[in-house]
Amino acid sequence: MRDFHVHSNYSDGEFLRSMVRAAESADLEGVGVADHCNVATREHHASMRSIYGFNLDLTYERRRRGIDRLREEFDLAIYDAVEMDYDPRDEAAIETFLAEAGFDYAIGSVHDVDGQNVQVSSHFDTMSEAERDAIVDAYFEQLVALVESELFEIAAHVDLLERTPPLQGRATDDHYRRVARAFTESRTIPELNAGRALSDAGVVHPSDRFLSVLREYDVAVTVGTDSHRPTEIPDRADFLADFIAETGLEPVVPDGLER
């Protein structure tokens, strides 16, 4: 069992050493530290980076030195990765940065649509039904573009909308099939994401309906706990192991890593 998606204090997680120690204590064979990153130059994103301290584009070399030291200390594979916010307008900047940084692998994520974080319910509470449906359409348009960009080894939480009550259940099989077709023609693979699996919401990404479509198209998946705290890793890793066993899935590792 390897977990390809955890965060550290280089974005919105806890200390790097604590996350790695928790992964080793959970008997994982490997852990991927994939901190949030955004390279958009638009004012809103630059401001958010300053406020929340998501500055991996400036600190990845320092984090890499830390990872190298931890590799000498811990008996598991530690991957130097990134979770990059994706917007089609930023493709050139993303491509340049990823080529320069040389991460072990890159995770692509769609968090924002039309400048609104799709995890924040209040952004959509007062919208009409048609406006909410338009947000869902735009989300999947952006997700397909992410997959087709070929910039990423992994696509994170591919139905993130299911975390957000005003947007839940609005995705259609047509949305899912379009994304599945894109995956069949790309090196990018979706993850089984347990970031909300053990919360009151009980959301697993992708949802059962989406996962069934991905399986219909024979799309491979990988796994990530999306943990931000050391205490989250063991239970989420156990959940994913049980989920894999129950569904009969055989997760793969990101492109380019040792099988």
Side-chain angles (χ1 to χ4, degrees), residues 16-25 31 33 70 74 76 78:
L16 180 61
R17 179 189 296 276
S18 299
M19 299 301 289
V20 173
R21 182 186 295 116
E24 184 180 63
S25 296
V31 62
V33 185
L70 293 175
F74 289 93
L76 79 168
I78 308 171

Side-chain angles (χ1 to χ4, degrees), residues 106-108 143 145-156 158 179-180 182-191 219-222 255:
I107 300 175
L143 181 59
L146 181 157
V147 176
E148 292 178 343
S149 75
E150 298 290 356
L151 291 170
F152 308 103
E153 283 75 20
I154 298 173
V158 290
V179 176
F183 278 126
T184 64
E185 299 176 1
S186 174
R187 72 189 182 100
T188 306
I189 54 176
E191 64 171 3
V219 174
V221 297
T222 189
D255 188 40

Side-chain angles (χ1 to χ4, degrees), residues 200-220:
D200 291 342
V203 175
V204 180
H205 304 292
S207 65
D208 287 345
R209 187 158 59 97
F210 197 175
L211 183 58
S212 68
V213 171
L214 293 173
R215 298 185 78 172
E216 177 185 336
Y217 281 78
D218 199 26
V219 174

